[in-house]
Amino acid sequence: MHPGAPRQRAVLAVLLLSADRVVPMEHIADVVWDGHAPTTARTQIAICVAALRKAFKNAGWNQEVITTSAPGYRLRAADHRIDLLEFETMVARSRDLVRRRDAAAATDTLHRALALFRGPLLADVPGRHVATHRARVEELRLSALEQLLSLRLDLGQHQELIGELTTLVSDSPAREKVRALLMLALYRAGRRAEALDTFRRGRRQSIEEHGLEPGPELQRLHNAILRDDPTLTSASGPAVVRTPAQLPPRITALVGRQWELAALDRFVAAPGSSLAVASISGGPGVGKTELAVQWSRQVADRFPDGQLFADLHGHHPAGPADPRDVLAGFLRALGVPAGQVPEDTTERTALYRSMAHGRRMLVLLDDAESFAQVQPLLPGDERCCVVVTSRRRICEVPTGLSLHLDPLARHDSSLLLADLTRARPTSEAVLDRVAELCEDLPLALRGVGALLASKPHWTARELVAKLADDRTRLDHVSFGPTGVRAALAASYDRLGDRAKEMFRRLSLLSVPDFPAWIASSTLDADPVEAEQLVEELVEAHLLHVAGGRYRLPELVRLFGRERAACEDSGDARRAACRRAFTRWLEEARDARHRCGATGVDDAGWFATERASLAAVIAQSAQMGLREVARELASTTSAAAGACAVSVAS
């Protein structure tokens, strides 16, 4: 089929470049009109999509190729041949063959992959976005070509490769990997002097044009040639830099987070003059690592020089990882022999940045604790991309994109549960109720899914009944040693003693939310200290801010009550509640007095506190604090009448 008019080609291009993924309408418009979309963009895109669907149908495709999927469209790659996807698949297969030491099969696979190229990507589609992808794919092509040449060199084809490598070095003199291959081919062909001259010419050009010495791998190869290192003549010799592929495996499908995925895609595609750093923050169990890993695996092909991963253990019981140790692992992954890794952290950082220079790598730093931990692990080359996940916003990290994750939307939570429990069909109402009791927290939802898988005799309705019991809910959502309870404990354990105490006290209150002034009364602390402790809890994501008030998520509240039962006496817990209830009573008395005198303004106070006051009255009565309950109920009722009269007058 022929895609038709230029605008149709542009729409098809952006869908092809994100095949099998939902592309938001705003992103399509931004690409098609190069950031200057008209007000009629949505209508024009819909017309283009309709024309493309007709063209696919006329070409013999009866199944729908482009589907409407909120908030945009998705091109289904199944049963279709997309050259770029085939190329990426074959390149990935070749890497697997290399790991299995099948150089001949890997060489053949790369030959077939490179044969798919018949010219620049989407050459007839203009625009900045497509140009960025075109440059990315060209980099992928060159990287695959370098890998192919390296494999052929390992297969002993050094004589045949000299001419081809000489041309490539002339066309791309800054690509040190190609120069290293030419030097090695010349050396193995018995042309040692020419190999050394190839290094000298490259060094001179690098210094004159960029003011830089050649990279450490090229210098090591040069030194090895000077001393006639015997390993240079074997296929296992120090030919080229290693390409690490350290990303964790994709265990489960990612549900939701389409906006965040699109934001990350736009961020990494945008050209920049500084290191690209994306930060993903959010509370325990909200899915930061899952989002980062899933997205990183989706875009790994954009970083042909490798992907590095480190779990920084920011909330591990044994303490955070030492960046010095992480650097040692990175350097070994990049090909530095263990005996040549410097001892000093500063020297390790310098060598790491030298190794990363000139390469396009992805670095994923998971569960970071602080900027001091992250800073030595940032590569210096702007072609690299770094993704940092952390429970706290690390403001010092120079991020180009900062994402904060909240729990999933209810619809996405239900979809995730449906996927986790697909072996036992469950009604939508039951799924929604389970999602509600899990507070749409991905870690809790996955814990429930794992629990059901281990309990085939349980029905989903039985699970709902068990989750609805506050005494056992944390047990059921914390299936396994890395569940919700462990995640919350990791945040709790890093608090100061006074913040821990305030958290336990606040968790005792059965109110939907509360004002800042109540926090000081639970701990019997002065307002300044109370404010500092509250902020510590907010930063740890154990306390949420909502409309100028504070709220404890229910799972967090249940965890806090567990800790209070273990660490505080019954008298201490009762006294904390009494102080808080008494403070509400005092504030209600004052508001009632002001309401009778001034009217509308203080009527608003009772409206704001209504839900919390009702909860306090019920809880104080339940705890046997009947005097407080009666007086608070009386004051609230009388105030409502007084305010009504005052407003009417």
Side-chain angles (χ1 to χ4, degrees):
M1 61 163 278
H2 190 278
R7 190 159 295 150
Q8 287 178 216
R9 293 200 300 273
V11 172
L12 180 58
V14 70
L15 293 174
L16 284 167
L17 290 171
S18 299
D20 276 333
R21 291 166 61 188
V22 176
V23 184
M25 187 76 80
E26 291 181 0
H27 182 59
I28 298 174
D30 185 58
V31 172
V32 173
W33 282 275
D34 219 12
H36 302 285
T39 56
T40 59
R42 287 178 172 269
T43 301
Q44 294 190 49
I45 291 170
I47 293 171
C48 289
V49 169
L52 288 169
R53 285 170 171 165
K54 183 177 179 180
F56 276 115
K57 188 173 182 179
N58 291 339
W61 292 104
N62 294 322
Q63 292 183 339
E64 195 172 23
V65 178
I66 301 175
T67 62
T68 301
S69 301
Y73 297 99
R74 179 171 71 96
L75 186 142
R76 296 173 61 252
D79 303 323
H80 303 289
R81 184 174 181 270
I82 300 177
D83 287 353
L84 180 57
L85 294 183
E86 288 196 14
F87 169 76
E88 293 170 345
T89 299
M90 283 192 277
V91 169
R93 189 182 306 141
S94 73
R95 290 173 182 157
D96 183 58
L97 289 167
V98 169
R99 283 192 289 269
R100 286 155 37 191
R101 299 185 180 278
D102 192 346
T107 299
D108 177 67
T109 301
L110 284 172
H111 265 302
R112 289 186 287 111
L114 289 164
L116 293 172
F117 279 86
R118 296 183 296 276
L121 176 79
L122 301 170
D124 59 348
V125 179
R128 169 177 44 85
H129 179 81
V130 173
T132 300
H133 277 279
R134 188 178 297 126
R136 175 183 71 84
V137 172
E138 175 61 14
E139 177 63 29
L140 288 177
R141 186 189 72 82
L142 290 173
S143 180
L145 178 59
E146 290 171 352
Q147 181 63 47
L148 172 61
L149 295 169
S150 177
L151 288 169
R152 291 178 60 192
L153 192 59
D154 282 349
L155 291 171
Q157 300 177 18
H158 43 270
Q159 291 283 6
E160 301 95 311
L161 285 173
I162 290 175
E164 187 175 350
L165 285 167
T166 300
T167 300
L168 283 173
V169 168
S170 177
D171 292 342
S172 304
R175 296 188 76 88
E176 293 191 348
K177 188 177 290 189
V178 177
R179 190 173 296 274
L181 291 170
L182 176 57
M183 290 168 59
L184 194 55
L186 288 167
Y187 183 82
R188 289 181 180 176
R191 297 158 65 173
R192 182 173 180 268
E194 292 176 66
L196 293 171
D197 186 57
T198 298
F199 173 83
R200 284 192 291 270
R201 281 187 278 111
R203 178 177 181 270
R204 183 170 60 250
Q205 188 170 12
S206 179
I207 292 173
E208 290 176 354
E209 295 183 6
H210 307 292
L212 296 170
E213 288 284 348
E217 284 296 321
L218 204 59
Q219 294 195 45
R220 273 195 285 273
L221 178 58
H222 174 252
N223 293 334
I225 292 173
L226 284 173
R227 64 176 184 271
D228 287 316
D229 191 320
T231 62
L232 293 176
T233 58
S234 66
S236 60
V240 279
V241 178
R242 292 180 189 171
T243 303
Q246 297 185 337
L247 294 177
R250 182 187 288 115
I251 303 298
T252 57
L254 183 67
V255 175
R257 307 302 190 198
Q258 295 301 326
W259 185 90
E260 290 84 356
L261 287 169
L264 286 163
D265 282 344
R266 290 193 298 271
F267 170 67
V268 79
S273 58
S274 59
L275 177 66
V277 182
S279 169
I280 303 174
S281 63
V286 79
K288 303 178 294 298
T289 300
E290 182 182 33
L291 171 64
V293 169
Q294 297 269 26
W295 177 79
S296 296
R297 294 195 68 86
Q298 289 177 7
V299 300
D301 61 291
R302 303 187 191 184
F303 301 93
D305 296 315
Q307 307 91 42
L308 295 169
F309 172 83
D311 186 345
L312 300 184
H313 294 301
H315 294 82
H316 195 276
D322 188 334
R324 179 176 177 275
D325 297 332
V326 177
L327 283 166
F330 280 1
L331 290 172
R332 290 194 297 271
L334 291 168
V336 178
Q340 297 181 23
V341 174
E343 287 296 320
D344 181 69
T345 301
T346 303
E347 292 181 6
R348 288 184 181 185
T349 298
L351 179 57
Y352 163 60
R353 289 175 179 162
S354 296
M355 297 290 292
H357 177 72
R359 300 177 198 169
R360 185 160 174 76
M361 295 196 308
L362 175 65
V363 182
L364 175 51
L365 304 175
D366 187 41
D367 194 19
E369 181 205 31
S370 64
F371 178 64
Q373 187 187 34
V374 169
Q375 197 270 341
L377 306 176
L378 300 177
D381 198 299
E382 65 272 10
R383 283 169 286 192
C384 295
C385 176
V386 180
V387 179
V388 181
T389 75
S390 177
R391 293 190 187 182
R392 301 171 183 262
R393 285 189 173 97
I394 305 178
C395 300
E396 303 95 329
V397 174
T399 56
L401 175 68
S402 181
L403 298 175
H404 179 78
L405 298 191
D406 291 317
L408 292 171
R410 179 59 46 80
H411 173 71
D412 291 329
S413 294
S414 297
L415 286 178
L416 176 57
L417 276 172
D419 182 61
L420 293 170
T421 60
R422 58 184 177 274
R424 50 175 79 185
T426 307
S427 72
E428 186 175 335
V430 171
L431 291 175
D432 283 352
R433 179 57 177 155
V434 173
E436 179 186 1
L437 290 168
C438 290
E439 296 189 289
D440 302 302
L441 196 66
L443 185 61
L445 295 167
R446 295 190 185 282
V448 166
L451 179 64
L452 275 178
S454 72
K455 304 284 186 182
H457 54 286
W458 282 12
T459 67
R461 293 186 182 277
E462 287 176 325
L463 176 65
V464 169
K466 295 177 186 297
L467 288 175
D469 189 337
D470 288 349
R471 297 168 299 178
T472 57
R473 189 183 310 174
L474 266 182
D475 294 328
H476 293 130
V477 301
S478 300
F479 188 79
T482 58
V484 173
R485 183 182 279 112
L488 293 173
S491 287
Y492 175 76
D493 289 343
R494 299 194 69 78
L495 297 173
D497 289 342
R498 289 284 280 173
K500 287 180 180 178
E501 191 177 0
M502 174 170 279
F503 170 67
R504 297 195 302 271
R505 300 289 190 267
L506 291 173
S507 70
L508 300 172
L509 305 177
S510 299
V511 293
D513 54 33
F514 56 87
W517 43 261
I518 209 65
S520 60
S521 62
T522 61
L523 197 60
D524 199 16
D526 67 76
V528 174
E529 182 192 14
E531 182 181 359
Q532 293 171 343
L533 296 175
V534 164
E535 284 304 312
E536 188 174 348
L537 296 179
V538 170
E539 288 180 13
H541 295 284
L542 295 174
L543 197 59
H544 293 182
V545 182
R549 295 171 69 82
Y550 297 94
R551 180 180 68 85
L552 279 168
E554 194 58 30
L555 293 175
V556 175
R557 189 197 311 276
L558 294 176
F559 172 78
R561 288 183 176 180
E562 283 187 353
R563 301 315 309 158
C566 292
E567 300 179 39
D568 299 320
S569 67
D571 289 343
R573 299 198 300 272
R574 184 181 177 87
C577 289
R578 178 186 285 276
R579 286 195 300 272
F581 299 160
T582 301
R583 178 67 186 275
W584 253 300
L585 176 58
E586 292 169 352
E587 293 290 334
R589 288 170 179 160
D590 290 344
R592 174 188 172 184
H593 174 73
R594 293 192 302 270
C595 194
T598 62
V600 178
D601 290 343
D602 288 283
W605 185 93
F606 282 97
T608 300
E609 297 294 332
R610 180 179 292 114
S612 295
L613 289 171
V616 168
I617 292 168
Q619 187 180 5
S620 56
Q622 183 183 24
M623 293 178 64
L625 302 173
R626 292 184 177 84
E627 291 183 11
V628 175
R630 279 196 298 269
E631 187 171 356
L632 188 54
S634 173
T635 301
T636 303
S637 176
C643 288
V645 171
S646 180
V647 171
S649 62

